Amino acid sequence: MIATADFKITKAKTSKLSTLDVNNIPFGKYFTDHMFEANYENGEWGTGEIKPYQPITIDPSCAAIHYGQSIFEGIKAYKNQEGEAYIFRPEDNFKRFNISAERMEMPQVPEEVFMEGMKQLIKIDENWIPNQPDHSLYIRPFMFATDEVIGVKPGQKYKFMIILSPTGPYYSAPMRIYVEEKYVRAAPGGVGYTKNAGNYGASMHPTAEAKRKGYDQVLWTDAFEHKYVQECGTMNVVFIIGDKAITPPLGDTILAGVTRDSVIQLIKDRGMEVEERPLGIDEIIDAYKKGELNELFGTGTAATISMIKELRYQDFVMTFDTEKWKIAPEIARTMNAIKEGKIEDKYGWMVKV
Ligand SMILES: *Cc1c(COP(=O)(O)O)cnc(C)c1O
């Protein structure tokens, strides 16, 4: 396979950066001056290109639109206290991207393309990483089939791209969550462990229904009994019960979150036991009634940690005073301090651009 990090670079003539209101940056709304693009054809990757951010042209028969071979990743870059750009655990996202690609029968993206494309792109748009606390640069690598033919079969042509979006604090308010018992996010043998676009398409309607009932998100349960919890919206979920943290085990129904893994590490390092095991709604309710369900929160790149202030299962409503919590805010503070270079990165999570 011929893939090098010797990219073709075309700089934008002017920068849009001065039009950005750094005090008000909603998630995913603004994009930097440049983007990365590499195309796969005849079994190999062509030369990667960094060029001005612009629309792309696709044929109406574009395979990804019709049959869904489309995957993505979500990563963040930060500035440390010296103003240097660092990316949070990008190797993990790179590996996960290719796990998604394999399941979707898409080609593997070489490390030189994914990692170097990302680093070089960030370097060019480095000024777009906001300096304020809790701000970052969201990195969105994605790949989709571009074959111009209608027919259910794996594509022969693919486009891999990376775009960057500066972002302010996200999802910070504690959430009200509805335990989902009708719809399913992931079943054994399915694609729940991949970041393929269809998973999110399928989650829109259940989430919209939960919102119409007044909730922020759903807590997904297993496909067979709707009894064991899986994930909360597009976040992994952690329950602090008694003196233990419990989170559902990885497998084909759980997305292997990089934040989940980081949070597990930090919780263990503060001396608390972490159990990765099936967790049933009965056990959750039982712990709540005994006063042992201390904290529950979602974990993900976009928000890092989102506390849950209300959990509704059928007609049973569990409420929590998140103001009194200790672990979730402490873990969030530590994570953010590592990301912003305020404390030592003893895990080697931060990768210099
Ligand atoms: C992306 C994602 C997560 C969180 O993964 P991170 O690597 O922590 O961002 C969790 N669940 C789903 C379904 C996701 O798509």
Side-chain angles (χ1 to χ4, degrees), residues 1-7 36 45-48 110 112-114 116-117 120:
M1 187 179 302
I2 314 156
T4 68
D6 203 0
F7 306 129
F36 179 88
W45 286 97
T47 305
E112 309 87 83
V113 174
F114 190 103
E116 277 307 310
Q120 292 193 25

Side-chain angles (χ1 to χ4, degrees), residues 72-74 93 96 185 192 194-195 200 231 233-236 255-260 299-302:
F72 67 94
E73 268 304 326
N93 297 87
R96 191 171 69 188
R185 193 194 83 85
T194 71
K195 271 184 127 67
Y200 307 84
E231 299 196 47
T234 57
M235 284 180 287
N236 294 110
L255 196 289
V258 178
T259 318
R260 172 189 182 277
T299 71
T301 294

Side-chain angles (χ1 to χ4, degrees), residues 98-114:
N98 278 335
I99 289 171
S100 297
E102 184 181 21
R103 178 62 178 84
M104 300 303 284
E105 197 57 33
M106 297 165 83
Q108 298 285 294
V109 175
E111 184 157 9
E112 309 87 83
V113 174
F114 190 103

Side-chain angles (χ1 to χ4, degrees), residues 169-174 303 305-307:
Y170 177 73
Y171 248 19
S172 24
I305 283 183
S306 286
M307 297 190 280

